[in-house]
Amino acid sequence: QLQLVESGGGLVQPGGSLRLSCRAPRHTLGDYTIGWFRQAPGKEREGVSCITYTHETNYADSVKGRVTISRDNVKDTVYLQMNGLKPEDTALYYCAAHSQPYTTICALVDPTGAYEYRGQGTQVTVSS
């Protein structure tokens, strides 16, 4: 079972940047589609971005042009670079791994629970 660990969250002013990281200390992430999701208090979970093992990517309209997802297979880490942060980006961000390795599915909605593994999340707060 994949255990994912996120890092990189924090408090940032509007317009600022953060880079979130997702690792699986005891597993290889490189074979899996990894998604980043966020959830703010009182709101539904939102898919932010995802990247397949072939490096295909997908972004939510709300973050396009401000967010870049990438993966470093040497460091076995998936990154979410967020620029131009807005107060509405405030949320708990977590990464999740698709249950099937080597899939090219990169969805930002997960009605069937295909993203079977997820981390505890890292808090991003955008405030002046």
Side-chain angles (χ1 to χ4, degrees):
Q1 184 173 357
L2 284 179
Q3 292 182 311
L4 306 179
V5 178
E6 303 93 342
S7 61
L11 173 64
V12 64
Q13 292 187 342
S17 298
L18 285 173
R19 188 178 76 162
L20 308 184
S21 299
C22 174
R23 296 183 64 246
R26 300 179 186 85
H27 298 277
T28 300
L29 277 186
D31 301 336
Y32 293 85
T33 289
I34 302 297
W36 281 98
F37 296 84
R38 66 186 181 185
Q39 189 159 21
K43 294 186 178 180
E44 292 190 0
R45 182 181 71 172
E46 177 186 16
V48 177
S49 183
C50 56
I51 186 167
T52 69
Y53 80 103
T54 56
H55 296 238
E56 295 174 56
T57 60
N58 193 9
Y59 296 94
D61 288 342
S62 59
V63 302
K64 277 181 181 176
R66 302 188 296 120
V67 167
T68 302
I69 192 170
S70 62
R71 67 193 316 160
D72 183 332
N73 288 342
V74 173
K75 295 183 178 179
D76 204 29
T77 301
V78 174
Y79 301 102
L80 190 71
Q81 177 68 44
M82 302 191 295
N83 302 322
L85 283 163
K86 306 174 182 180
E88 51 263 43
D89 294 318
T90 296
L92 180 69
Y93 286 70
Y94 65 92
C95 61
H98 196 282
S99 60
Q100 298 299 316
Y102 308 115
T103 181
T104 55
I105 297 173
C106 189
L108 299 180
V109 292
D110 189 24
T112 63
Y115 287 97
E116 184 174 351
Y117 312 106
R118 58 163 287 183
Q120 295 295 313
T122 184
Q123 179 67 35
V124 171
T125 302
V126 185
S127 175
S128 55

